[in-house]
Amino acid sequence: MPIFAVKTTASQERTVAEMLANKEAEEIHAVLAPDSLTSYVMVEADDSAVLERLLDEIPHARSIVPGTSGYAEVEHFLSPTPDVEGIAEGDIVELIAGPFKGEKARVQRIDEGKDQVTVELYEATVPIPVTVRGDQIRVLDSDER
């Protein structure tokens, strides 16, 4: 089944995807609007003629990019990346949420299954391990760089 890339107005990808998904067209099989892909929506459809006809009725949908994509080219958009990806033990991080917001800490342990990181606060008199979610920290300095 071919996958078409549809050019959209910037920041309107979700709107176009929702409108396409709400159309009751048997020729449209799937619609994907990944956050990491700006101004494009991926559409699995039978052929481009049907898709072009539907896009005429949808505001913010600009055009179909010539050619098609296969499943292998869009597969990486389908699985979410964990928040702890790119963080290593020993990294210096800043807590950006929670009760210790603004504090600097060193990563002690990473639990990818739970998407959590255990850090040790820098300026604490007694070293205190604190476990936070991966989206609550920002890497400042990495040993790997």
Side-chain angles (χ1 to χ4, degrees):
M1 193 70 49
I3 298 173
F4 299 94
V6 175
K7 179 100 173 99
T8 67
T9 306
S11 303
Q12 296 297 322
E13 303 88 0
R14 285 235 186 269
T15 307
V16 172
E18 286 173 10
M19 289 178 161
L20 268 173
N22 290 335
K23 293 279 181 190
E24 293 183 14
E26 294 175 10
E27 299 86 358
I28 304 290
H29 301 286
V31 181
L32 176 67
D35 291 333
S36 58
L37 194 61
T38 308
S39 298
Y40 291 95
V41 173
M42 305 307 288
V43 181
E44 184 180 25
D46 290 338
D47 63 58
S48 62
V50 172
L51 185 56
E52 240 172 80
R53 183 176 44 81
L54 287 172
L55 292 180
D56 287 341
E57 305 167 10
I58 296 176
H60 305 296
R62 296 288 167 241
S63 62
I64 299 174
V65 176
T68 62
S69 300
Y71 177 74
E73 292 179 77
V74 296
E75 188 175 16
H76 65 279
F77 292 124
L78 300 176
S79 56
T81 57
D83 290 323
V84 296
E85 191 174 289
I87 300 171
E89 289 183 16
D91 284 356
I92 307 300
V93 297
E94 179 184 4
L95 298 163
I96 57 172
F100 299 106
K101 182 177 179 178
E103 294 285 329
K104 290 181 177 53
R106 180 178 297 276
V107 176
Q108 298 298 318
R109 191 165 39 93
I110 300 167
D111 186 344
E112 289 186 18
K114 293 182 180 177
D115 211 19
Q116 293 180 336
V117 179
T118 302
V119 298
E120 200 170 85
L121 299 175
Y122 252 172
E123 289 150 17
T125 319
V126 178
I128 305 168
V130 178
T131 303
V132 295
R133 291 193 329 254
D135 64 345
Q136 292 183 335
I137 61 173
R138 178 176 55 126
V139 177
L140 296 176
D141 188 28
S142 176
D143 289 345
E144 295 176 0
R145 290 185 198 141

